[in-house]
Structures are given as C-alpha cells and as structure tokens.
Amino acid sequence: MRFGVINIDGAYVSAFNVLQEMSRDDIEVYHYNDSATYHVPPHQHDFYELYCLLNGPFTFHVENNRYALKPGSLLLVQPGEVHWPELEQPPRDIERIVLWLNPQFISSLSIFLPQTLGTFGENLQKEQLIIPEEKTYQVILGLLYSLLYEKNRADADSPYLCHLILSQLLVYLGRAMNEREMPPERLGARYREIMLVHEYINAHFKEELTVNDLAEHFYMDKNTLTRQFKRIIGMTPGDYIRRKRLETAHALIRQGYSVLNAGYSSGFSDYSAFYRAFCHLYGQAPSTFSSQTRKNRTAAYRNGK
C-alpha cells in the first residue's frame, strides 16, 4: 500500500530544535527535512511526542522497543519514555513532522474528549506504534499540515484554530489506535500471530532461542514465520533476536559491565559471534566502546566536581 504525502512545496520546514524542550504550554509542531536527528542521543521528555515520518524507512527506539517506521505509520512517545533514532552511516536527510503535546493541556480537553483522551494512558503502555488505515492516515496528515499552516500564519485566531485542529487530530488518533483491536482479517491473517511472536522474543531473547524454537512453540512453518515476521516487523526473527541482544549488551557496557559479562548477560553464548555482530552493527569493537565509555564517565565525574 502506498501512502501519498500532501504536496505544499515543502512548506514550513524549520531548523531542528536542538534543545528538545517545549517553550509553550499547549502544543508545538515542527516540519524537519535534514539529518540532524542522527545527532540526538537517548533522551526523554515531560510531554507527548508524535512522530510522523514522510520519507523512509527510518528506525526509532522507544525504551526496549525498536520500530522500523515507514510513511503511513505514526509513533507516539509518552512523557518519561526514553527514545532515540538509530544511527546510520552515512547520515541521510529525513523528512518528518513532529508534534509536541503538553500533558496538562491535553488533560484540560477531557471535558470535550473523555473517550478519546482515555487512549493516552494505560492503552499505550505496551505499544507506541500506530498504523492507521490509509484514509485515516491521510486525514491525520492533513491535520498536521493545518497545524503547520496556523503556526506559520500566527494571527490572533491561530491559537484557537490550533486547539480545534488538535481536537480533531486526537479523535482520529484515537480511532487509529482502536483499529489495532480489529479482527485479524482486517489487519492480515498473520498479524496477531506475528505480534505474539514479537512479544515472546522480547521476553525471552536472553535465553537460548532459535527460529526453529519459535516455529515449534507457535506451531508455524519456519519459512512462513520468517517471511511473515519480516513483512510485519521489518527483519527476520533471527536478525531481530540478534539486534535485541546487541542493543542490550551495548546498554550494559554503558552501565559499566565488562564486555564479557555484557555479551553473556544479553544471550550470546559465543564471544566471537558477539564480537563480530557488535563490530558489524556499531562499527567498533566492544572493547573499544567499553574503553570510550569509561573515559567519558571519568571525564563527566571530573567535570562534575
């Protein structure tokens, strides 16, 4: 399915907001088209962030989840969730619309949108990715461009119109989130099955786990599992298990674990396999990364004195 992008001559493209902090107490919206996002380290906000990718694909991390974003998908990051874009070499320009929502302002709309706003809480604790139907996505995209238009116009009526547009946007986002609960035949016969596999890997990737184990556990043909998992998640089950282990090892090394302990604690039983995979993904040996991390910690400690 191909998702179009409304063409308004690249309107309202702004410089990247390096501070990543809200200056308003309601909403802020940005249209970026650059590679600046690659320089953003893992971070968190005290506000909601809606990420709408306009070209792609592009990989984004939220807490322990990794999302392969494409045009037509949306990512909603909750306040306090650690998130970051995945570094690629060489960096490339990424066009995206980013919407920031102040939680207190969103709560103030509960009188008008009680059912919709209920979505922005417990229902999002396990899932940040939103994949609307094409028509719903086009409406959402149009509303985001309307917010950009009002931001650019900035007359006396613009704040009120922005709030009205946002109210519509929240309704459509709520609908899109509810679409995730549709019967499997609406999302593809294998969708729910693959998402169960995805959740199982997230819970068991540190254990001895192979594609054959997954196929046997879920009573699926190995080739079908691999093909459908790659179609929905963006990589094969084996690649996803390896990536989860590497990301965990990377995080443990940053926390001060030794390279050996980080590798084994993340599910690697063979150090040479861990070494090769780490070098391939991160472009440096785990020992080099560990040494750099220790130096950075020492420098930060000295600077803090």
Side-chain angles (χ1 to χ4, degrees), residues 113 139 143 161 163-173:
L113 302 169
V139 173
L143 291 169
L161 283 171
H163 293 175
L164 289 172
I165 295 167
L166 176 64
S167 297
Q168 296 179 67
L169 179 61
L170 293 178
V171 170
Y172 281 100
L173 285 174

Side-chain angles (χ1 to χ4, degrees), residues 101-140:
L101 304 171
N102 182 293
Q104 287 72 37
F105 173 70
I106 296 299
S107 296
S108 72
L109 300 176
S110 59
I111 296 175
F112 309 102
L113 302 169
Q115 183 174 354
T116 297
L117 295 182
T119 312
F120 287 83
E122 296 181 357
N123 294 345
L124 285 176
Q125 289 180 358
K126 295 183 179 180
E127 190 71 44
Q128 296 91 4
L129 185 64
I130 308 170
I131 305 178
E133 292 182 336
E134 182 174 6
K135 290 181 180 179
T136 303
Y137 172 75
Q138 293 295 342
V139 173
I140 290 172

